Amino acid sequence: MQHIEKKSRKFISVIFIFSLFILIFGLYVYPLGDPDVFIHLRDGRYYAEHGLHAANDPFAYTRNHEPIERVEWLFQVGIYSIWKKGGYNLLILLKALLVTLAIGLLGVLIYRRWKKIEITGFIIGLSIILPLSMILPLLRFFQERPYIITYLFLPGILIFLDNYLQKSVTDERAARKWLYAMPFLTVLWVNFHPGFIIVFIFLIAQIVEDGLHYLKENEKLYKNRFINLSLVTIIVFFCSALNPLGFSIYAFIFKTVFTDYLKIIIEWAPPKLSNAWGFFIILGITWFFQIFFIKGSRISDLIKLTVCSYLAIKSYRNIPIFMIAALPILTEKLFMAKEKYFRVSVSVLVKKSLVVLATAVVLLTTVILSIDGQAFQLGEVKTLHPKEGLDWLVKNQIKGNILANDFWGGFIGWQTNNQVKVFIDGRFTIYDKQIFTDYMDIIYGNKDRCLNLLNQYQIQVILIPLDSDPAFFQQLNLSGDWALVYWDHICMIYLKRTGTNRSTIAGCEYKIINPLDFSKVNNSSLSKALGEAERAIAIAPNSYAPYFLKSQLLSAMGENQKAKQEIEQAGPLAPKYLLYMNLGLTEMKLGDFQAAERDFQIVVDCGNTVEMKSQAYFFLAQSISRDPVRRKEALRYAKKAFDNHPDPTQVKMMIDAFENNLGR
């Protein structure tokens, strides 16, 4: 009977762990949206077709006389080969598998820190749930990019190191085999990602600990460990030179780490409490227990925790490294606290309840993300990249230097097979600082330098997002040298008025309408503006923006019913909140305030920004204020609309004005 019961418990544990891994895997299956992924695909294709040697960078015309960057080449060739086999979906699935495996390895490290505890599915499951729960706030940092290899290799090598330390107590010679794999893994790691350098923190920390123990206790065990780990560290250092850059890989790493202007990129900026709260909780708790139990702490743990805490505080990018270092230490300290202050046995019922609760949290998170399209979802986030605008450029054979946003640089090279070179892309650290400064002055519309720089770099084409800095568009309009020839809901394309572009401009220029500037639209130009809007729909049929603009023009002409029809045509293309915001405004013009109320309520429920919800509340208040019985309700919605306004005095004035309109 006991044998059957034991097998039953083991079976349940296996099912539990397997189910948990499926949930973790699903959490990381979400649409491909990181623009840097296209840099790696682009570079991987180039290396696969041309090899690793190129005298000039083939991707950016501002680096024409500089050699190609060859860091991370093995990862890049690998994901390009995988893409050829199964497209973006296979890349997403592989990413999810690697992240799941990395979390599993971290779970093993955590599990090994628990002592004198029965080996059960509960403890194994807890070892996986703990890192998962802390990593969930960082979900979007796990993209199809090379740093995933670091998050996978680091806990793997730490397991090898832990095996060596445990085995060396009884059989030091047999334990060495766990060190032999490190140099070989380093050769792979250095060609996948420069994050291999992190392993030196952990090796040196252990060397320092064993060296101090040997000086203090003069035991052969610590002497052998010190010598073996020192030799392995030296071998790992020399093996790391087996990459296209040789030892120059270290210069590349330090240049990246100490490049000041990288801080404008979110992942390289210091973390904020609002979106990295899990990190700050673990940071505080870990250091609290580390200091509280300082007497029983390992020297190596103190070194690892100090260095990794510093790195994580400096950059979001290093938070997962901190988690790998801190979570095993934290679990050991929690066990020490339990042994010292809570020496009571935990009932089976409590254990099962905790398992159910933890699983429910993970399951609920997965369901919420799935409903929101962020888990168990394949494909590509198409609204992030100017595919149709780029297709228009290629179709019309537009030539000349192009200025595009840096986060589109990789996509442009990937989509056009490097036929179109860019000013700059996401590889910020390899560009001269002056080029980066010039780029920033252009896209932020520096009034003293913007137009001169466009001429200096002989830029003929501008491919820019609609939400770019207004000062940049102002500079273009003031100069009179640039013509808007294409636009959709993602991008706008301007051509310089030169001889090579004149014929294209003559047939494609938008002289009246501009999605960001309606100053040229008036009663006398409405019919021409409508014609340009219809041309925009024909050129970009998969974009909702031209439909919305056409509906606004029709409303201005008093054709509100036709305006509503245009919005409805955009329905399958537009985000839900934008669709119903525009529908609601049109319904109000038609006098159907009940339908408008329904539309604005949908926007309130699904709006993705505070500003959008505030607008929806305000228009919702206006739509129901027509009913005298509901005027108090309208006032309540109006107050909600101004909840997040930064100026309380102005809010009071607006609320008073709204109350007066209600006939207070």
Side-chain angles (χ1 to χ4, degrees), residues 352-412:
K352 289 182 177 179
S353 300
L354 288 172
V355 171
V356 171
L357 178 62
T359 307
V361 169
V362 176
L363 181 60
L364 181 62
T365 304
T366 307
V367 170
I368 292 172
L369 290 173
S370 297
I371 293 171
D372 199 31
Q374 299 181 55
F376 289 104
Q377 297 285 332
L378 294 169
E380 175 192 359
V381 183
K382 296 180 180 180
T383 56
L384 296 178
H385 312 295
K387 184 179 184 307
E388 291 197 359
L390 201 54
D391 289 343
W392 185 90
L393 281 177
V394 173
K395 179 182 177 182
N396 287 274
Q397 299 180 339
I398 306 298
K399 305 294 182 183
N401 288 351
I402 184 172
L403 175 76
N405 268 59
D406 58 273
F407 50 81
W408 285 346
F411 179 81
I412 291 171

Side-chain angles (χ1 to χ4, degrees), residues 60-87:
Y61 57 83
T62 52
R63 282 179 46 84
N64 272 341
H65 303 294
E66 298 182 49
I68 191 172
E69 179 198 24
R70 293 166 293 170
V71 180
E72 303 167 346
W73 71 272
L74 188 56
F75 177 85
Q76 292 165 339
V77 171
I79 66 166
Y80 171 64
S81 301
I82 292 165
W83 174 84
K84 286 179 68 177
K85 296 290 184 183

Side-chain angles (χ1 to χ4, degrees), residues 135-260:
I135 290 172
L136 278 178
L138 308 169
L139 194 64
R140 287 302 173 267
F141 278 94
F142 293 98
Q143 302 285 348
E144 297 76 3
R145 290 172 59 185
Y147 50 62
I148 284 183
I149 301 299
T150 289
Y151 302 153
L152 177 66
F153 272 42
L154 181 58
I157 282 185
L158 293 182
I159 289 172
F160 283 7
L161 179 60
D162 189 58
N163 286 341
Y164 166 73
L165 295 176
Q166 290 186 24
K167 298 290 184 183
S168 63
V169 176
T170 56
D171 189 347
E172 202 278 332
R173 180 172 294 182
R176 291 178 199 165
K177 67 180 183 181
W178 293 104
L179 299 180
Y180 296 155
M182 290 189 183
F184 297 103
L185 287 174
T186 301
V187 174
L188 283 175
W189 195 352
V190 70
N191 288 285
F192 274 122
H193 186 238
F196 77 93
I197 198 172
I198 296 294
V199 78
F200 289 110
I201 297 172
F202 294 83
L203 288 173
I204 292 171
Q206 192 60 50
I207 289 169
V208 170
E209 179 178 293
D210 289 329
L212 291 174
H213 277 306
Y214 175 63
L215 291 174
K216 183 179 180 181
E217 302 173 22
N218 197 27
E219 288 189 17
K220 186 178 179 181
L221 170 66
Y222 297 117
K223 177 183 177 181
N224 289 337
R225 281 184 180 177
F226 179 83
I227 293 172
N228 290 332
L229 287 172
S230 297
L231 287 173
V232 165
T233 302
I234 293 169
I235 294 170
V236 165
F237 174 73
F238 282 102
C239 285
S240 67
L242 298 176
N243 72 88
L245 298 185
F247 285 115
S248 296
I249 188 72
Y250 291 97
F252 173 85
I253 292 170
F254 288 116
K255 180 183 177 183
T256 300
V257 171
F258 294 106
T259 299
D260 290 337

